[in-house]
Amino acid sequence: MSPAASKNGHFPLTLSVKLKYVKLGYHYLVTNSVYLLLIPLAAVILTNLSTANLLLDLCTKNSAILTVTSISLALIATVHVMRSPRKVYLLDFACYKPFPGNLCSKETHMRVSSATGRFTAESLDFQRKILERSGYGQKMHAPAGLMATPPDQSMAAAREETEAAMFGAIDDLLDKSRVEAREIGVLVVNSSTFNPTPSLSAAIVNHYKLRGNVLSFNLGGMGCSAGLIAVDLAKRLLQVHPHTYALVVSTENICRNWYLGNHRPMLVSNCLFRVGASAVLLTNRRSERRRSKYQLLHTVRTHKGADDRSYRCVFQEEDQHNIVFSGFQVKKIEPYIPDFKMAFEHFCVHAGGRSVLDEVEKSLGLTEWHMEPSRMTLYRFGNTSSSSLWYELAYSEAKGRVMRGDRVWQIGFGSGFKCNSAVWRALRDIGLEEKNSWDGEIDEFPVHVPRVAPIVY
């Protein structure tokens, strides 16, 4: 924690933060100007009622006025209620933590890659250099299929990896939230490159025996930012389906998409992605506000796909030997930095890689304390694609940093190119007693992450 931080992890107000609240107050003033103008009008009416009973006299002399007034007030109230968006609450969430048998250190990664016999010495050296500078630790997880000799990239192995991650996160979530699976009315699943038939959403419906009228959606090919796209979709569905629970599941498959060629841009993904999944339970039930963790305030989606360079920044294609995988062409595009000016108490920046976090920290003027959840998630779990944002929020919770009223800004980046944001407000203090994926090891963090960590295998 930074020396400037207070005991509860909050920072003192600076001039820029004070200006933020001035702007925010002005925004509320303009937005609610109509209601504010009604206050003096109401005061005048109340004064007349107390002195001359003017309204009562008018209504007594002409009952039509009373009827019209009542109907008008009822219509205004109805329109106001109908136009007001339903509030969306985050009841709870959970992140998948694989078994210790699936741990894959950097040395293990290199040994497995070497044992395949598919990579040249130059390709192995390239992977080693990436891992040494990745900001990764030694406790990340890989699927059993890739740890085998030879690697098993079958559809069965891929399903086993993805279902273990999804069901593990969902089981934990349903247990914590005390919500029955058949109460779920909306299901949104996102996985970018692995989209089997039947779909992953169908696999969840079948496994948990969800009800027949569940609104089920499966998002594919939308990259690491798809988790927030899924949250946005669930939020919109909750606006039209009252008294409903929505389950959002974010995951990615590694087994099926591990690249066994020697084209360098495609080798990068082998070194970056690791096993992970998250499950988030949203609801619009007012009765659940009391025990919910957060309220969803905003979702913002920015898509740069109209720019050809952005469109091809992550592209799935064959190499010269017809081996398929997503290639990263970062050098061919200029980095796109969203122009966000608002300040928040907590930041969850997609742990896409060390260079991504470095650039966001520099561009947004954040401190090491602000970036700690993202960097420690990258170190402990690696890049788990769209689910990484929830491992980061779990980190802040496990550290006891999230207090009632705090705002959390989640920022996701993905192919296309897309930048998506979600803003949450904590409805209560998140106690240290609440269990999550950092249990048993949170006290070990933060750790120092060297710029280069040599690998010997």
Side-chain angles (χ1 to χ4, degrees), residues 95-236:
C95 299
Y96 174 61
K97 190 172 185 177
F99 296 108
N102 293 101
L103 289 177
C104 180
S105 67
K106 290 178 285 188
E107 287 78 10
T108 300
H109 174 103
M110 293 305 304
R111 286 194 293 268
V112 169
S113 296
S114 180
T116 64
R118 300 288 295 272
F119 300 110
T120 64
E122 292 77 11
S123 292
L124 289 172
D125 187 57
F126 178 67
Q127 293 183 63
R128 177 184 60 79
K129 290 179 179 178
I130 292 176
L131 288 172
E132 288 179 339
R133 295 161 175 79
S134 63
Y136 283 6
Q138 298 288 64
K139 293 184 178 181
M140 296 170 296
H141 305 276
L146 292 185
M147 305 285 279
T149 305
D152 183 1
Q153 292 185 280
S154 65
M155 181 66 77
R159 282 186 181 275
E160 180 181 354
E161 173 200 342
T162 298
E163 290 180 356
M166 293 193 309
F167 298 162
I170 297 172
D171 286 346
D172 189 17
L173 174 62
L174 294 179
D175 181 62
K176 292 199 300 182
S177 65
R178 303 190 303 277
V179 171
E180 297 293 332
R182 292 190 63 83
E183 295 182 79
I184 296 171
V186 175
L187 171 65
V188 185
V189 182
N190 70 272
S191 174
S192 187
T193 58
F194 182 58
N195 291 282
T197 302
S199 66
L200 297 181
S201 58
I204 293 174
V205 172
N206 176 263
H207 183 80
Y208 292 96
K209 308 306 177 188
L210 302 188
R211 64 197 198 204
N213 64 344
V214 64
L215 300 174
S216 176
F217 299 86
N218 205 90
L219 306 182
M222 304 192 79
C224 298
S225 66
L228 296 183
I229 296 176
V231 168
D232 180 70
L233 175 57
K235 179 193 75 172
R236 295 174 186 273

Side-chain angles (χ1 to χ4, degrees), residues 310-420:
S310 296
Y311 175 67
R312 293 188 62 87
C313 68
V314 180
F315 209 82
Q316 191 172 39
E317 57 188 352
E318 297 90 359
D319 66 6
Q320 66 271 28
H321 301 294
N322 291 322
I323 301 176
V324 178
F325 201 71
S326 303
F328 290 80
Q329 303 180 24
V330 178
K331 294 183 179 179
K332 295 185 180 181
I333 66 168
E334 297 178 1
Y336 170 70
I337 305 299
D339 185 20
F340 294 108
K341 303 298 184 183
M342 296 295 290
F344 302 88
E345 286 74 28
H346 309 282
F347 293 81
C348 298
V349 182
H350 167 53
R354 188 173 202 159
S355 60
V356 173
L357 298 181
D358 288 346
E359 186 63 28
V360 172
E361 179 180 356
K362 177 183 176 181
S363 300
L364 298 183
L366 303 179
T367 67
E368 291 183 5
W369 186 89
H370 287 127
M371 296 298 297
E372 184 182 311
S374 299
R375 293 195 185 281
M376 294 303 102
T377 293
L378 185 68
Y379 180 86
R380 172 60 180 85
F381 293 98
N383 182 347
T384 62
S385 190
S386 56
S387 65
S388 69
L389 299 175
W390 299 102
Y391 287 89
E392 295 164 16
L393 183 54
Y395 180 92
S396 293
E397 290 186 354
K399 282 291 185 181
R401 296 179 177 179
V402 182
M403 304 295 172
R404 180 177 180 180
D406 284 0
R407 289 166 298 174
V408 180
W409 184 19
Q410 292 181 315
I411 313 170
F413 310 99
S415 59
F417 177 81
K418 298 180 290 295
C419 176
N420 302 318

Side-chain angles (χ1 to χ4, degrees), residues 289 293-297 405-408 423-427:
R289 185 187 189 282
K293 285 186 173 181
Y294 304 92
Q295 180 181 339
L296 180 58
L297 300 182
D406 284 0
R407 289 166 298 174
V408 180
V423 178
W424 308 86
R425 182 176 62 221
L427 298 176

Side-chain angles (χ1 to χ4, degrees), residues 5-178:
S6 60
K7 292 183 179 179
N8 63 0
H10 290 72
F11 288 79
L13 288 175
T14 62
L15 178 60
S16 60
V17 175
K18 292 178 180 178
L19 289 175
K20 175 200 72 173
Y21 286 107
V22 172
K23 294 178 181 178
L24 187 62
Y26 175 76
H27 169 73
Y28 285 145
L29 180 64
V30 173
T31 304
N32 300 289
S33 58
V34 175
Y35 300 102
L36 294 175
L37 289 174
L38 290 177
I39 294 177
L41 178 60
V44 172
I45 293 175
L46 290 174
T47 301
N48 289 332
L49 284 175
S50 62
T51 58
N53 293 322
L54 177 61
L55 184 60
L56 180 60
D57 292 342
L58 289 174
C59 293
T60 302
K61 294 178 181 178
N62 191 345
S63 60
I65 294 179
L66 179 60
T67 303
V68 171
T69 302
S70 301
I71 294 175
S72 300
L73 291 174
L75 287 174
I76 292 173
T78 302
V79 171
H80 174 74
V81 171
M82 292 180 65
R83 292 188 61 184
S84 299
R86 299 180 191 276
K87 293 181 179 180
V88 176
Y89 305 109
L90 190 158
L91 191 59
D92 214 328
F93 69 95
C95 299
Y96 174 61
K97 190 172 185 177
F99 296 108
N102 293 101
L103 289 177
C104 180
S105 67
K106 290 178 285 188
E107 287 78 10
T108 300
H109 174 103
M110 293 305 304
R111 286 194 293 268
V112 169
S113 296
S114 180
T116 64
R118 300 288 295 272
F119 300 110
T120 64
E122 292 77 11
S123 292
L124 289 172
D125 187 57
F126 178 67
Q127 293 183 63
R128 177 184 60 79
K129 290 179 179 178
I130 292 176
L131 288 172
E132 288 179 339
R133 295 161 175 79
S134 63
Y136 283 6
Q138 298 288 64
K139 293 184 178 181
M140 296 170 296
H141 305 276
L146 292 185
M147 305 285 279
T149 305
D152 183 1
Q153 292 185 280
S154 65
M155 181 66 77
R159 282 186 181 275
E160 180 181 354
E161 173 200 342
T162 298
E163 290 180 356
M166 293 193 309
F167 298 162
I170 297 172
D171 286 346
D172 189 17
L173 174 62
L174 294 179
D175 181 62
K176 292 199 300 182
S177 65
R178 303 190 303 277

